[in-house]
Amino acid sequence: QVQLVESGGGLVQAGGSLRLSCAASGGTSSIYAMGWFRQTPGKEREFVAGIRWSGGWTVYADSVKGRFTISKDNAQNTVYLQMNSLKPEDTAVYYCAARGGSWYPSRRASDYAYWGQGTQVTVSS
């Protein structure tokens, strides 16, 4: 029943910023943690950042730590990924994901049962 709707992707020059949004609806009481993943052609899905649904506990991939920030708006059941100092290597389709069963924002894609449609982020050099 959980639905995730992503927005905010687009084209940006290197060094610029984007903020991705993921609005969760339908059975959100079953969500324990949210995560952002990204994928490029020929590569497996890569963990980017995760957050406990109740907030406070965040996890980041080393490649984005210090540049990206994951946060949650409790009033809107929306998770954000603020991306600063973007690099061409950040170019990918970014996916929002939700998991149940544990509030640990896992790095494993297989732990997440619900996925958004993906939003393209392109960083030009």
Side-chain angles (χ1 to χ4, degrees):
Q1 295 294 323
V2 174
Q3 291 183 308
L4 305 176
V5 180
E6 301 164 333
S7 61
L11 174 65
V12 65
Q13 291 184 319
S17 299
L18 285 173
R19 188 178 74 164
L20 306 183
S21 299
C22 176
S25 62
T28 56
S29 62
S30 64
I31 299 176
Y32 284 71
M34 301 282 291
W36 286 97
F37 293 78
R38 64 188 183 187
Q39 187 169 25
T40 57
K43 298 178 63 178
E44 296 182 351
R45 282 176 296 180
E46 176 188 14
F47 173 80
V48 177
I51 187 170
R52 183 171 58 182
W53 185 250
S54 58
W57 190 5
T58 58
V59 179
Y60 295 94
D62 290 341
S63 60
V64 306
K65 191 173 184 179
R67 298 188 298 120
F68 292 8
T69 303
I70 187 170
S71 62
K72 180 175 181 291
D73 184 333
N74 293 327
Q76 297 184 349
N77 286 332
T78 300
V79 174
Y80 303 97
L81 184 67
Q82 179 67 46
M83 304 184 293
N84 298 326
S85 301
L86 283 163
K87 306 174 182 179
E89 63 193 42
D90 295 319
T91 296
V93 177
Y94 283 71
Y95 296 92
C96 175
R99 71 166 297 177
S102 173
W103 58 68
Y104 176 66
S106 174
R107 299 173 183 266
R108 297 185 296 272
S110 61
D111 285 340
Y112 294 83
Y114 308 101
W115 294 84
Q117 79 284 357
T119 184
Q120 177 70 48
V121 172
T122 302
V123 184
S124 62
S125 60

